[in-house]
Every structure is written in C-alpha cells, then in structure tokens.
Amino acid sequence: MKMLGAEVVIECLKAEEVDIVFGYPGGAVLTLYDALFKTDFPHILTRHEQGAVHAADGYARATGKTGVCFATSGPGGTNLVTGIATAYMDSIPLVAITGQVGVSLIGKDSFQEADICGITTPITKHNYLVKKIQDLPCVMKEAFYIARTGRPGPVLIDISKDVFNDTLDFVYPETVCLRGYRSLFAGDSNQIDLVIEALEKAEKPVIFVGGGVNLSGTAEEVRRLVDVTGIPVISSLMGLGCIPSDASEHLGMVGMHGTYAANMATIDCDLLMGIGVRFDDRVTSLVQNFAPEAMIIHFDIDPAEVNKNVRADFKVIGDLRWSLPLLCEKIAERNMGKEQWARADWVGLVQEWKREKPLASSLPAGGIRPQAVIEKVSELTQGESIIVTDVGQHQMWTAQSYNFNAQRSFLTSGGLGTMGYGLPAAIGAQITLPEKNVILFTGDGSIMMNCQELATLADNGLPVKIIVMNNQVLGMVNQWQRMFYGKRYSHSSTKGCTDFVKLAEAMGVAGLRVTKSEELDTVLEKALKMKGPVLIDVLLPETEDVLPMVAPGGRLDQMVLRGIIG
Amino acid sequence: MKYTLAVLVENRPGVLTHISGLISRRAFNIESIAAGPTEEVDTTRITIGVEVEDEFELEQVVNQLSKLVNVIKIANLTYVDSIQRELALIKVRANKANRSELVDVVEIFRAKIVDVNRETLVVELSGEESKIDALCEVLTDFGIIEIVRTGRIAVSRGPVAAKDM
C-alpha cells in the first residue's frame, strides 16, 4: 500500500513497539505531525525541545525501553543537543527524529537549516540523514537496533521535509544488515575462570557496581553475588539502586563525594572488580592513585572502556546478562563459604570505617538540614519510588542519603551533569509508570533551566512531586568558591524575586513552602498524599557543603570531612 | 611510536565525518589519513598513520574507531611485513642555469619530472615518507613553490588481504 513518508515513520514506530513520543512541532515536521494527528499516535507536547529529549531519556531510564522524540529542523534540532549528549554520556537508548529542510535546500543556509548530523556526530552512537524515501524503513530499523543493542546510546535520524511528503510501498525490513556493527553478547568464558581464581586469592576484595548493571537489568545477579560471597560493594552514582543502599555489604557511593568507607576501601583493597563502570574521573580522582594496591577486574560490554582510564588486569568483555549469571554459577560451584570469599578481618575493617565516619552534616542546629529532607522522603516512600534529580548539591545529597533499593529507580544525569534534566525526565518516567511515585529533587538553580515543563506536567495531570532544595545559591559552585576560591562568591547567588510557589501555581501545579524544620515532616507527608503535581519549595541554609569531598586531584583517602562554614 | 592502520569502512554518506569527528573528539594524534575506493564497490579503505605514546593508547584508537557503525574492519599493518608508499608532487623553481642540476637530483631519487616551463618544474615522486622528506629537503635549495602529498597508503606482503587479517 502506498504511504506517505510521514506515515512510514509512524508505522515503523508501531513496529518497534514505541508507545509514546515526546516532541515539539515546526515547519519541517508538519507532515509528520499531520500523520500523528491522523493516526492518533500518542504524543506529549513539551514546551521546549530540550524538555522532549530529556523526557524521552527519563522514559528510557525508568523502563529500559527506547525513548523517542521529535523536533523540527534548525533550532528544533539544536535544542535537542544537550539532551542527546546527556543520553550519550549515560548510554541511554534513544531515537531522536528531526525534520530537515527540503533536499534542494540542503547546504544553502536555508531558513531553519542546521547540519544536525554534523553537530551531533560526537554525541550520538550513530546518525543518519535521509534524503530518499526508499532508505527510510531501513534507516528506522537500523536506528532502533543500534540504539538498544550492545552498549545502548542515542541515534539521530534527520529526515528531509521532502521525504515526509513522498510516497512508498511500505514494507518494514525484518532484519538489519550492518557490516561494521557487532553487538556483542557472550564473550570469553575462560576469563571468568581467571577472575574467580583471582577472587580466591584476594584478601581484601571489593565489588564496584556502575550504570551498566542498571542498564542491563542485572541487579538480581549482583545481589546474588554479594549474598554468596559477602564481598563489600561500592557504587558509582549511576550504579545506585543495584543493591539496597542500606545492605550491610554496601559501603555507599565512591568518589569525589563518596562515603568514607567506600573511599577508604578503594584505597586499601587488593582486588577491585568493576562491573559496568567506566572509571570516570569523579570516581577515580587522580587516576594514578586510584586503588593503588589493587588488581583490577573489569566487566563491560564495550571493549573500548577497558584500559581507557584505568588499566585492567583481567577483562570480561560481554553483556552483563551473559557474564554475571555465569560468574554466579561458577562461584556457586566452588562451594565456598562467605568467610572464604571475604575474610572476616577485611569485612570487620570496612564495617569499622562505616561506623566510624557515617555521613555527617556540618550545619549548626536550627535550619533545615538538606539531608533531613531526603531522609524523610526516603522514609515516607520506603524506597518504592522513582527518584529523579537535577545536578548540583541536591543531587549528591540525594545519592548519599536516599535509601535506594531497586534498579532503574534513580534517574540522574551522571556523565554530562545536565542542570535542567530533572523535571522533563520525571515527566517521561511518570508517563510510562503512572502507578509509581515519581519524586524530583531539584535545586533553585536547576529547576529554572527547564521550568517551562511545569506546564507539560500540569496539562497532562502527572502527579510528580517536585522538591526544590532552595538555598538561594548555585550550591555546588558556591561550595567550590568557598573551598577553593577564597569565598569570592562570583555570580553564584540566585537570591531575588522568584517565588517558586507562585511559579508552580501559575502553570497549574500546586505549590507548598517549608521554611522551618518543624514544618518539614508534615508538609512532606501532606504533599506526597496529594493527587496531582505538587512543587514544594524548601528553604535551606545557604552554606551547607556536600561532604565528604575529595579535592580535585586528591587521593580518595584524603577527604575533607568537615566543611568550611560562613 | 608510529603505527599504520588499514581501516575498511562502508562507503556511506557521513562516514568520513564520523571518523574525523572521533579523532578530534578523542584527541588522537593523527599524522596522515588517505582514503580511496577498493576492490569492493561499497567499501572505502582509509589508511591512518597515528602517533601514540604506548600500546594502551593504540588499543584505544583501534577500539574507539571499531565502535563506529560504518567501520567494518581495522588491521594494524605496523607489525606485519608491508609496503608503505606516499605520492608527492613538488613544484620547484628552475631556470636555465640550474635546471640540469635539478634533473640530476630528480634522477638520483628516481623521481619524474611531469611539467616544465621557463621558471618552474613539477617533480613527481612516490615512495616511503622518509624518501619524500629527503627529496623535499634537497629541493629546498632550489626554491620550493608548493608541495602536495597524499599521505601514506599501505598493503601487506603475501596473499592475505587486510579484511581477512
């Protein structure tokens, strides 16, 4: 049957089992939007293209499915850039579809023309410019295949306006033929035997889990591994949720704002088994001083991750859905007790570190402790919620203080650190998981970077609870200025006329405010019970630091444990 | 250390952008890059000369390039017995007085003169990069107007093709 190119796109989305698209219309995608109208395909209109791409990202992180967003040519496409880069850094499966000017106008600096393929080349797993309708079905098939297989990532398809208006006898290809693309699943199982031998010899082993576990949905295998061996676990920001935050083996997040126990264990361990991690600089600090005594084992799906930042002694390349069950199976075959895998003196030492220096606040009594806000929400939700954050101090406090206990329950921009990510990502998560509590922790800086999406939230009746950790400063910048720039607070104050409660109300979101610590619990309890979207403006002291902190370039055991106040 | 990689890619629009984009983004130190069609219609072969600190950095270059969807195969020709060549065209000042001297130099290098006029001539030389460097240096004395070099290409000796390595 003859079909318009725009209809072909919709048919391909159906074939890929896409159930919703986030987007914003414009000149080059009018025919595509007309097809959406005619087919009644589910679509959420955000208020900015950046909102659309982050929403698709939040949808993907919460479910593991591929997120899809639409934008028009030129500024539509360029507004996606930050969101695509965010997804790329955190390996999120995403397909972004942009309109492009007509074929004859390409390269002529036409109205709303931008070379979005050129622009997004370094931040996509792959991208396509479609100038002929004959190529469209195949490109769509390949794009979804590439986005979700192997190490996931964003793929952009730039489709000329002419292609949407052209017609084709549509047949969706059943297979892809990509000569240069291999999505590796199973690797070399001999490597796993070597890993087990090394684990047997180790006296002070540590397991280090990362975003790869969340992405592959292998938290259960990690928990089995820890149950059987009792080996202490540390987590990257992206790995939180793989193992319950309050599990006794869990030492917490490692790195710049890692816990005392996790950072000390990294410096002292003699074997560090990284699972789905990329040894980011916020984890390792100065790479030469990272786990200096340890043999490094690296499990990853991407061969290019091994030896990129930290040299691995053993590598297990392959999908964690292949390697982790096999590792668990082979470990079970050994019939060894916990005390043989994780010696009592080592376990005792790390538990001592955990007790000795738990996370602390440096604030004098009186004001609302930001950590208390998160602890209260954690208690009220029992770890059953989807927690979303923006970027900055509140993000680190959430990572440190919330009790996560499920994979895919923590959505945050880890690699790129994108302020403004949180609200649209929460929208994407809530749409696909209507039964879940979706809670956004944000800051007075971050919320303003995509606050227009409050309208999307309200107009779709999505019951996201937004907690603005309002300290009236760009907190993380302020903290660095306090610590490293002689308290010269250059342009890091947001003190002004903004009233977040009124802002929320103006867009149709209920607004509440907490100014005293006595009110905190009751307001949070009330807000979480309310049906629709709520924004809670929590006024915090200006000068609380995120601690511990490893100064840039420092060793992980050289932590600042007490803040500089004032 | 310098390495020579033979990179086989699908001949699709944007493939060179993807490769050059990756090289600049990862800050790889590329000395030369030469691309052209091959015995297979849809395949382009790119010879990349890369300078890296150590084997780990080389591993990164290869692994990162391999991740590009249109890259079919990468063969490291550094350690296999291979023939490496580059082509250069050099425009040199030449007048009545020194032309015969210049012709002598060209003959010593087994280069060819492919264009002559009253003021200049164009020398064509193919060979290893070091040979071309040497000729350029000698020709400096005569006055070089411009140099065009292709960047090195390489093929292994023996019957095995890079795609089967």
Side-chain angles (χ1 to χ4, degrees):
Chain A
M1 196 186 84
K2 283 268 183 203
M3 221 182 255
L4 279 176
E7 291 160 355
V8 168
V9 172
I10 306 294
E11 286 307 307
C12 295
L13 295 181
K14 287 182 187 164
E16 293 295 334
E17 295 173 356
V18 174
D19 48 25
I20 199 155
V21 170
F22 304 88
Y24 202 105
V29 287
L30 277 168
T31 313
L32 180 62
Y33 272 76
D34 195 43
L36 277 177
F37 187 86
K38 286 188 207 150
T39 55
D40 209 15
F41 194 88
H43 173 277
I44 298 289
L45 171 70
T46 54
R47 297 302 186 270
H48 189 296
E49 287 89 352
Q50 192 185 350
V53 62
H54 288 323
D57 173 307
Y59 166 96
R61 287 188 208 229
T63 59
K65 295 190 279 186
T66 305
V68 180
C69 63
F70 287 174
T72 192
S73 63
T78 54
N79 277 343
L80 296 180
V81 168
T82 302
I84 294 172
T86 303
Y88 183 71
M89 286 291 266
D90 292 340
S91 307
I92 305 305
L94 205 72
V95 172
I97 296 175
T98 51
Q100 182 54 276
V101 299
V103 172
S104 63
L105 293 171
I106 293 177
K108 306 286 197 293
D109 302 323
S110 311
F111 176 66
Q112 292 198 328
E113 183 190 3
D115 171 19
I116 199 66
C117 279
I119 291 168
T120 58
T121 288
I123 52 167
T124 48
K125 191 170 170 188
H126 196 53
N127 62 25
Y128 295 91
L129 169 61
V130 184
K131 295 201 277 190
K132 291 198 300 262
I133 193 167
Q134 291 76 14
D135 298 338
L136 189 56
C138 205
V139 164
M140 291 288 292
K141 178 87 190 172
E142 286 179 11
F144 278 91
Y145 182 77
I146 291 168
R148 68 170 158 239
T149 55
R151 179 181 183 171
V155 177
L156 179 132
I157 312 172
D158 193 26
I159 304 173
S160 167
K161 192 180 165 107
D162 297 348
V163 173
F164 290 129
N165 293 318
D166 204 351
T167 55
L168 175 81
D169 271 322
F170 175 65
V171 184
Y172 200 50
E174 280 175 14
T175 52
V176 290
C177 172
L178 290 159
R179 280 200 293 165
Y181 181 75
R182 283 158 300 270
S183 73
L184 185 74
F185 185 76
D188 177 3
S189 60
N190 293 327
Q191 290 296 320
I192 294 182
D193 294 321
L194 296 175
V195 166
I196 292 178
E197 276 174 37
L199 277 173
E200 281 176 331
K201 284 188 206 130
E203 295 185 357
K204 298 187 280 183
V206 161
I207 294 172
F208 173 29
V209 293
V213 177
N214 272 319
L215 285 169
S216 59
T218 48
E220 204 173 305
E221 282 76 9
V222 168
R223 290 172 189 205
R224 221 165 92 207
L225 184 65
V226 176
D227 280 345
V228 174
T229 61
I231 297 174
V233 183
I234 59 176
S235 177
S236 73
L237 178 70
M238 304 311 289
L240 292 171
C242 301
I243 173 161
S245 299
D246 58 0
S248 70
E249 294 88 350
H250 190 238
L251 308 183
M253 185 168 73
V254 64
M256 182 173 271
H257 294 298
T259 62
Y260 181 74
N263 285 355
M264 293 302 287
T266 306
I267 291 296
D268 207 43
C269 68
D270 68 351
L271 181 147
L272 185 136
M273 183 158 78
I275 303 177
V277 294
R278 57 186 181 84
F279 296 102
D280 174 68
D281 59 281
R282 281 296 187 272
V283 161
T284 61
S285 200
L286 200 64
V287 78
Q288 295 88 319
N289 291 333
F290 178 75
E293 311 295 330
M295 170 176 280
I296 306 280
I297 296 169
H298 197 169
F299 283 69
D300 208 285
I301 195 166
D302 180 359
E305 278 308 324
V306 178
N307 293 331
K308 185 180 82 179
N309 295 333
V310 167
R311 304 269 157 90
D313 298 283
F314 295 106
K315 55 179 179 184
V316 182
I317 310 276
D319 197 310
L320 293 179
R321 283 168 288 201
W322 159 77
S323 56
L324 287 181
L326 196 57
L327 179 70
C328 288
E329 198 182 300
K330 290 189 181 220
I331 279 184
E333 280 168 16
R334 299 277 159 141
N335 265 325
M336 283 162 59
K338 272 191 186 180
E339 62 292 344
Q340 285 164 287
W341 292 111
R343 298 177 190 212
D345 49 351
W346 171 238
V347 173
L349 181 61
V350 299
Q351 292 301 333
E352 178 67 33
W353 284 328
K354 233 175 131 170
R355 272 193 306 276
E356 194 186 327
K357 293 200 176 69
L359 291 167
S361 161
S362 58
L363 276 180
I368 301 174
R369 277 191 316 119
Q371 297 88 341
V373 182
I374 294 150
E375 285 158 11
K376 184 63 189 174
V377 173
S378 189
E379 180 200 315
L380 291 172
T381 56
Q382 291 296 309
E384 286 301 307
S385 300
I386 302 287
I387 299 298
V388 190
T389 74
D390 263 302
V391 170
Q393 284 190 312
H394 71 271
Q395 178 190 32
M396 291 297 109
W397 285 321
T398 307
Q400 291 176 336
S401 301
Y402 191 85
N403 258 333
F404 297 99
N405 69 18
Q407 62 189 4
R408 300 190 173 286
S409 66
F410 182 41
L411 318 183
T412 194
S413 168
L416 198 69
T418 307
M419 289 171 72
Y421 167 79
L423 178 56
I427 290 173
Q430 185 76 79
I431 277 171
T432 180
L433 301 170
E435 304 304 319
K436 283 269 185 187
N437 284 320
V438 175
I439 293 166
L440 166 66
F441 288 105
T442 181
D444 49 283
S446 288
I447 186 70
M448 292 299 272
M449 285 214 189
N450 269 319
C451 63
Q452 76 285 348
E453 300 308 332
L454 287 167
T456 313
L457 190 67
D459 292 349
N460 289 281
L462 299 166
V464 172
K465 305 295 180 280
I466 303 164
I467 299 169
V468 181
M469 310 279 277
N470 184 0
N471 53 6
Q472 305 197 24
V473 285
L474 304 176
M476 194 58 95
V477 170
N478 200 258
Q479 174 172 346
W480 281 58
Q481 289 171 336
R482 180 157 52 250
M483 288 180 154
F484 310 117
Y485 290 88
K487 299 187 184 173
R488 292 182 298 281
Y489 298 117
S490 177
H491 300 273
S492 60
S493 169
T494 58
K495 216 171 268 178
C497 309
T498 310
D499 182 330
F500 289 110
V501 171
K502 280 188 185 161
L503 175 70
E505 286 169 353
M507 301 230 195
V509 173
L512 300 172
R513 181 168 287 128
V514 184
T515 53
K516 296 195 213 62
S517 56
E518 305 88 78
E519 306 164 347
L520 180 67
D521 290 6
T522 39
V523 175
L524 287 176
E525 278 164 29
K526 177 182 161 195
L528 293 193
K529 282 191 196 128
M530 286 165 71
K531 287 248 176 314
V534 184
L535 180 146
I536 309 118
D537 182 22
V538 184
L539 290 175
L540 301 170
E542 256 177 47
T543 49
E544 170 69 321
D545 293 322
V546 179
L547 298 171
M549 177 167 188
V550 179
R555 236 171 81 135
L556 286 183
D557 56 353
Q558 298 164 341
M559 282 165 272
V560 179
L561 293 163
R562 290 244 145 260
I564 310 162
I565 294 301
Chain B
M1 164 131 190
K2 293 178 177 184
Y3 292 87
T4 305
L5 305 175
V7 182
L8 291 163
V9 303
E10 286 184 284
N11 185 10
R12 291 213 190 173
V15 63
L16 280 176
T17 323
H18 282 122
I19 290 193
S20 57
L22 179 97
I23 288 167
S24 76
R25 175 163 64 96
R26 300 271 175 197
F28 295 145
N29 200 357
I30 299 296
E31 297 190 303
S32 68
I33 184 161
T38 66
E39 71 284 359
E40 286 175 47
V41 189
D42 302 330
T43 309
T44 295
R45 179 159 166 157
I46 306 173
T47 308
I48 296 179
V50 57
E51 184 160 8
V52 292
E53 293 263 311
D54 51 31
E55 294 274 335
F56 288 104
E57 201 185 337
L58 179 73
E59 183 189 344
Q60 264 299 297
V61 176
V62 172
N63 282 338
Q64 294 291 358
L65 282 171
S66 299
K67 265 166 67 171
L68 294 176
V69 169
N70 294 139
V71 171
I72 302 163
K73 167 97 192 176
I74 301 178
N76 184 347
L77 295 180
T78 317
Y79 297 129
V80 297
D81 194 7
S82 65
I83 300 144
Q84 310 213 346
R85 291 290 182 271
E86 187 177 9
L87 173 68
L89 297 171
I90 308 155
K91 191 178 284 178
V92 199
R93 282 192 205 291
N95 50 36
K96 241 183 189 169
N98 66 7
R99 191 172 292 129
S100 62
E101 195 187 340
L102 198 49
V103 170
D104 287 346
V105 171
V106 167
E107 268 180 14
I108 291 165
F109 278 88
R110 294 171 204 242
K112 274 195 291 190
I113 293 167
V114 289
D115 179 62
V116 189
N117 59 46
R118 278 179 164 168
E119 293 164 44
T120 65
L121 52 80
V122 174
V123 181
E124 173 193 317
L125 176 63
S126 79
E128 294 196 1
E129 285 166 315
S130 54
K131 184 177 171 183
I132 294 172
D133 292 342
L135 175 64
C136 290
E137 200 180 321
V138 176
L139 294 182
T140 309
D141 298 342
F142 297 88
I144 292 175
I145 296 166
E146 61 179 337
I147 299 174
V148 191
R149 297 173 68 152
T150 57
R152 68 174 178 268
I153 55 171
V155 71
S156 64
R157 292 183 193 272
V160 185
K163 65 183 171 205
D164 301 321
M165 276 180 184

